[in-house]
Amino acid sequence: LRPLVAHARRVVRNHRVTIANRVLEPLRSRHGDRALARVARCFANYLGDDPSRPASPAQRPLFLYFPGLPETPYFDRALFPWYAALEDSWRTITEEMERALEEDLELVPFLGPPDPAGPSCLAAHGTAAARWDGLFFHRHGKRFDRSCARCPATVAALESLPLVHVPDHSPETLFSVLGPGSHILPHTGVTNTRTVTPLPLVVPRDCAISVAGQLHEWRPGRCISFDDTFEHEAWNRSDEVRVILLFDVWNPHLDEVEREAITRFVATIGDPRAMAD
């Protein structure tokens, strides 16, 4: 079977090269090669033609690595001028969250149904079962109308942000609810083209996040942004729930042309119709 598998791998790779060129061609005609130089390198890295890897062994993108971006676990607040308006809204957002949870809007496990036979990304401190749930406004690009209607101020604040919009992939926006005694174990994210941003809402004692070994203790109403392709973990060692507004925005070091190229590429590479063309 090895020759057949090798042939299949070549066919898939060649088709992905075709898709990458198809994405870049119209953008090159509008913006020129220089504007897309970093994108071309990113695509080459994805296809295995560029060997670049992050400098830190703690940074391990699972899907798409964009070489040349500053590699920092946490981002400087100055890169996000919209922080101020969002943080000014945190009390209103918190009130909407509390009402939504009191009304028992549907919370779903963030990681999906547990798999008893597989590894878990959650661990429990104490006797209570570990829980990490989400009240989603968007997931994999799908909008949850009931949640959005219940929390209009929260959704309006989210829609003012540079969220990542890729069909069938993003945005991903939610109230992230971490249960008492729950520990989200070390893991890494899919791509450094996005930036994960939490706005802490309800923060009991002894709740924190660590990114690449750098500890950050949550402060209610104060955003942080981090690159989740660095190994990270979070925990709630209290006996109360911890709630944050969680969402993904574009890496601030990407320009508009690069964002458009990444959006087209990720949407196309995951579209079975494109793979069949």
Side-chain angles (χ1 to χ4, degrees):
L1 294 176
R2 287 179 180 172
L4 293 176
V5 172
H7 173 72
R9 289 168 62 92
R10 286 193 299 271
V11 170
V12 170
R13 183 195 177 280
N14 290 341
H15 199 64
R16 285 176 172 170
V17 171
T18 300
I19 289 173
N21 290 332
R22 187 187 305 168
V23 167
L24 287 176
E25 184 178 354
L27 296 175
R28 279 197 178 111
S29 66
R30 282 167 26 211
H31 304 288
D33 286 339
R34 185 173 180 180
L36 291 161
R38 296 200 306 178
V39 173
R41 187 180 171 197
C42 172
F43 290 0
N45 185 270
Y46 175 80
L47 296 167
D49 297 330
D50 182 299
S52 302
R53 298 307 301 159
S56 169
Q59 187 178 14
R60 301 186 299 276
L62 298 178
F63 167 56
L64 186 68
Y65 173 55
F66 197 108
L69 296 179
E71 296 179 351
T72 54
Y74 295 100
F75 290 86
D76 190 323
R77 288 177 58 86
L79 295 168
F80 306 97
W82 43 264
Y83 267 12
L86 183 62
E87 291 174 345
D88 285 346
S89 302
W90 84 271
R91 291 187 185 278
T92 299
I93 293 171
T94 300
E95 290 170 0
E96 285 192 340
M97 176 273 298
E98 290 173 340
R99 287 196 297 268
L101 295 187
E102 286 174 1
E103 292 176 7
D104 198 27
L105 287 183
E106 186 177 3
L107 286 174
V108 297
F110 186 90
L111 301 172
D115 179 4
S120 175
C121 191
L122 281 177
H125 295 278
T127 57
R131 299 225 28 193
W132 181 18
D133 297 320
L135 177 61
F136 284 90
F137 303 106
H138 304 86
R139 188 167 211 190
H140 308 313
K142 176 185 175 183
R143 178 185 172 95
F144 289 78
D145 291 333
R146 185 175 177 223
S147 299
C148 290
R150 188 62 193 83
C151 301
T154 301
V155 173
L158 288 168
E159 289 177 347
S160 71
L161 306 178
L163 300 174
V164 180
H165 286 268
V166 179
D168 300 321
H169 291 270
S170 56
E172 186 116 329
T173 64
L174 67 148
F175 290 136
S176 173
V177 183
L178 189 62
S182 298
H183 184 176
I184 303 170
L185 299 175
H187 62 288
T188 60
V190 295
T191 177
N192 64 332
T193 60
R194 71 177 187 183
T195 300
V196 177
T197 301
L199 173 65
L201 304 176
V202 177
V203 183
R205 58 175 179 78
D206 209 0
C207 290
I209 184 171
S210 175
V211 183
Q214 300 179 27
L215 181 69
H216 174 84
E217 295 185 352
W218 305 112
R219 290 175 54 187
R222 186 171 176 83
C223 292
I224 65 164
S225 293
F226 65 95
D227 182 342
D228 76 335
T229 63
F230 283 89
E231 186 175 79
H232 58 286
E233 60 183 313
W235 55 86
N236 174 10
R237 294 174 182 151
S238 78
D239 55 2
E240 304 173 61
V241 298
R242 181 230 66 186
V243 186
I244 60 177
L245 177 65
L246 188 65
F247 53 92
D248 299 338
V249 296
W250 285 105
N251 188 309
H253 299 291
L254 293 171
D255 63 31
E256 289 296 330
V257 175
E258 291 168 335
R259 294 177 184 184
E260 182 180 358
I262 293 299
T263 299
R264 289 171 175 246
F265 182 70
V266 174
T268 305
I269 210 75
D271 185 348
R273 293 168 298 179
M275 295 301 290
D277 287 347

